[in-house]
Amino acid sequence: MLVVRKLASPAGFLLALLFFALPFVAVSCDAGAAGSFDVSYTGVDLATGTKPSIEASGALAPSGGGPVDPSDAPDPGVHVLAILTAALLLVGIGTMLLRRARRRRFAAAGVAVAAGALLVSTELTAMAHLRAPAQRVIESQAPGTTDGMAAALDEVIQTRVGYWLVLAVLILILALNLAAAARAWVRQ
């Protein structure tokens, strides 16, 4: 229980910031005998604009004449949102500088809500920006495909573990700080 309570402190925000190194969003497709590809963006990739990790095999790989070119990875276009999310996590770490426990709890809860909202916005925007490039890849492999395109795009554009872990930590920070504030209020 002590470890969980530590997450209510700046350690939780630090942990969330560390999870930015894990994959957040990906465009991934397994086309059976034709091969597969996986273009995966970490939170750091989203914030800095660096190239994602790309794995491709079979006819989908550049060596097979496929459309997945590592030098031409699509830009999710969420650099500012991802940077603001990371900055809020740093602000959350800074809440330890507040002297009064009550202020610290409410500040951490507020920062967790704001960072969570920005995180969700970053993820949804990145997924929306990756739809057009993913659609071009699908259409290049199956020309004239329009039936079920929206469902196909929903299937190939995926949320990954880093996003879910950061969101879970932020929810836990919020819940623990609100619970601690409620306990302190009841004691008064």
Side-chain angles (χ1 to χ4, degrees):
M1 186 64 176
L2 180 62
V3 173
V4 173
R5 275 191 282 163
K6 288 279 186 194
L7 289 177
S9 73
F13 288 106
L14 180 60
L15 182 61
L17 198 57
L18 291 174
F19 286 149
F20 256 65
L22 297 174
F24 267 51
V25 65
V27 179
S28 181
C29 180
D30 184 358
S36 65
F37 69 87
D38 185 78
V39 181
S40 185
Y41 298 84
T42 66
V44 174
D45 295 336
L46 295 176
T48 62
T50 55
K51 295 292 183 192
S53 67
I54 298 177
E55 296 175 16
S57 66
L60 295 176
S63 61
V68 181
D69 182 3
S71 65
D72 191 29
D75 180 11
V78 292
H79 310 300
V80 173
L81 289 172
I83 289 169
L84 289 174
T85 303
L88 273 175
L89 295 176
L90 290 172
V91 168
I93 294 169
T95 59
M96 71 181 194
L97 299 175
L98 297 172
R99 291 181 191 258
R100 297 191 60 196
R102 180 180 173 160
R103 285 187 184 153
R104 210 172 31 248
R105 287 183 196 115
F106 283 111
V111 170
V113 168
L118 269 174
L119 179 72
V120 170
S121 179
T122 301
E123 187 77 1
L124 293 175
T125 303
M127 292 175 78
H129 286 173
L130 292 172
R131 286 182 79 81
Q135 184 171 347
R136 284 192 296 275
V137 169
I138 291 170
E139 288 172 346
S140 73
Q141 294 302 300
T145 302
T146 55
D147 291 342
M149 180 61 77
L153 290 171
D154 289 341
E155 193 172 310
V156 299
I157 301 172
Q158 306 161 353
T159 300
R160 293 287 171 95
V161 68
Y163 166 79
W164 292 115
L165 289 173
V166 173
L167 188 60
V169 167
L170 290 173
I171 290 170
L172 191 59
I173 290 169
L174 174 63
L176 291 172
N177 278 290
L178 290 179
R183 276 193 311 272
W185 182 73
V186 168
R187 286 185 206 146
Q188 288 181 351

